[in-house]
């Protein structure tokens, strides 16, 4: 990775790990650590934000350049040519995360108990930036994390179905971003950097039912751009048959401000209305919402919501066993 990119990431408080990975302490991790709220995934699935590591094994590689992405998009490749070992990435990510948190030790808002818990992270969100499926040893990384007692959430844009088909083990929860309801909108909003991105993404939709883990479709909704398109999204969701559907309003922050305007942010109520209408069509239950993050949750089976933290890898009975 070019040094100029490294400097930009450091300025933005990323902890750089090896040649192509990075961690960043999320706003909600700091909030929960200092006695505030956790992120919406705490509310939806029971993830404890102050014990969460947000990282990516592909900081500088992505197959898309999404208009709503608020991260720095200096992607200089769609491949990682010289890959670090997964053991190294895991160890150094934990180390870098703890180092980034070290300034909170002694903070009067941080209780001793919270501090100690934060030093024993339990969850890894593989989602910071870039497309993680570009890292060819992602399965080994997820397996090592599971052995160490971590739950793992993996967010993918679905343009590399050939990787997802072979991913073993699967993460605790797999997120597929679905933000292009038609080929035209897909190409405009997600701005793919590879050929066949739409066709590959559609392969991933059809692959999802066969993947034996918890699955989430996330609709990132940009007002006047990719919403409502309810019929198109409903058709895609039916094919993918996920356990959960998150509808999340675009937030006008970071680098996305150069591509979209504040008027593209749907108000929370618009996201709620979209979600309820989608739920009606699919027979999913509207189960939770977080106005602070402009996000809602639809569940096929609300009983499955909370993550089983004592069994991070095998969550669905009989899964891959
Ligand atoms: S799950 Fe995501 S939003 Fe929640 S604390 Fe972890 S990185 Fe932050």
């Amino acid at each position: 990775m070019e040094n100029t990119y490294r400097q930009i990431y450091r300025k933005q408080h990323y902890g750089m790990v090896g040649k192509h990975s990075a961690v960043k302490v999320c706003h909600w991790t700091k909030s929960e650590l200092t006695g505030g709220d956790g992120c919406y995934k705490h509310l939806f699935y029971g993830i404890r934000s102050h014990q969460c590591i947000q990282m990516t094994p592909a900081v500088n590689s992505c197959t898309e350049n999404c208009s709503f992405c608020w991260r720095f998009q200096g992607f200089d490749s769609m491949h990682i040519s010289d890959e670090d070992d997964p053991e190294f990435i895991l160890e150094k990510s934990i180390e870098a995360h703890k180092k980034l948190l070290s300034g909170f030790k002694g903070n009067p808002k941080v209780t001793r108990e919270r501090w100690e818990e934060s030093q024993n992270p339990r969850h890894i969100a593989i989602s910071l930036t870039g497309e993680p499926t570009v890292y060819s040893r992602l399965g080994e990384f997820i397996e090592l994390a599971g052995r160490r007692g971590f739950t793992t959430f993996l967010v993918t844009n679905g343009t590399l179905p050939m990787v997802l088909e072979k991913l073993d083990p699967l993460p605790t929860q797999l997120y597929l971003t679905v933000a292009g309801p038609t080929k035209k909108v897909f190409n405009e909003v997600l701005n793919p950097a590879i050929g066949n991105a739409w066709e590959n993404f559609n392969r991933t939709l059809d692959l999802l039912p066969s993947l034996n883990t918890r699955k989430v479709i996330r609709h990132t909704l940009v007002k006047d751009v990719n919403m409502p398109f309810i019929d198109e999204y409903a058709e895609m969701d039916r094919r993918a048959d996920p356990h959960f559907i998150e509808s999340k309003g675009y937030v006008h922050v970071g680098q996305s401000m150069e591509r979209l305007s504040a008027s593209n942010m749907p108000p929370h109520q618009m996201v709620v209305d979209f979600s309820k209408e989608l739920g009606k069509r699919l027979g999913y239950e509207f189960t939770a919402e977080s106005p602070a993050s402009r996000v809602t949750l639809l569940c096929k089976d609300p009983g499955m919501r909370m993550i089983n933290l004592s069994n991070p890898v095998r969550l669905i009975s009989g899964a891959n066993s």
Side-chain angles (χ1 to χ4, degrees), residues 237-250:
D237 295 347
R238 241 178 243 118
R239 281 163 61 198
D241 193 26
H243 300 93
F244 311 102
I245 301 171
E246 294 178 3
S247 303
K248 190 166 187 335
Y250 160 67

Side-chain angles (χ1 to χ4, degrees), residues 11-61:
K11 253 190 207 158
Q12 295 183 359
H13 306 290
Y14 284 63
M16 303 309 289
V17 172
K19 295 188 280 294
H20 52 82
S21 305
V23 298
K24 190 172 198 289
V25 175
C26 154
H27 159 79
W28 298 106
T29 299
K30 294 179 200 163
S31 165
E32 201 168 83
L33 183 57
T34 51
D37 289 336
C39 76
Y40 75 86
K41 290 176 209 93
H42 185 164
L43 176 72
F44 288 5
Y45 312 111
I47 291 307
R48 305 187 80 203
S49 303
H50 67 294
Q51 291 185 292
C52 175
I53 298 176
Q54 178 185 224
M55 63 80 64
T56 175
V59 70
N60 218 30
S61 308

Side-chain angles (χ1 to χ4, degrees), residues 158-159 161 180 182-183 186 196-208 235-236 239:
T159 54
T182 65
K183 186 172 184 176
F186 179 94
N196 292 337
W198 169 252
E199 290 73 18
N200 283 354
F201 165 76
N202 273 276
R203 250 175 78 193
T204 298
L205 280 180
D206 294 327
L207 173 71
L208 234 63
E235 201 265 324
M236 288 173 152
R239 281 163 61 198

Side-chain angles (χ1 to χ4, degrees), residues 38 124 143 159 172 238 240 302:
I124 301 181
E143 175 152 32
T159 54
T172 310
R238 241 178 243 118

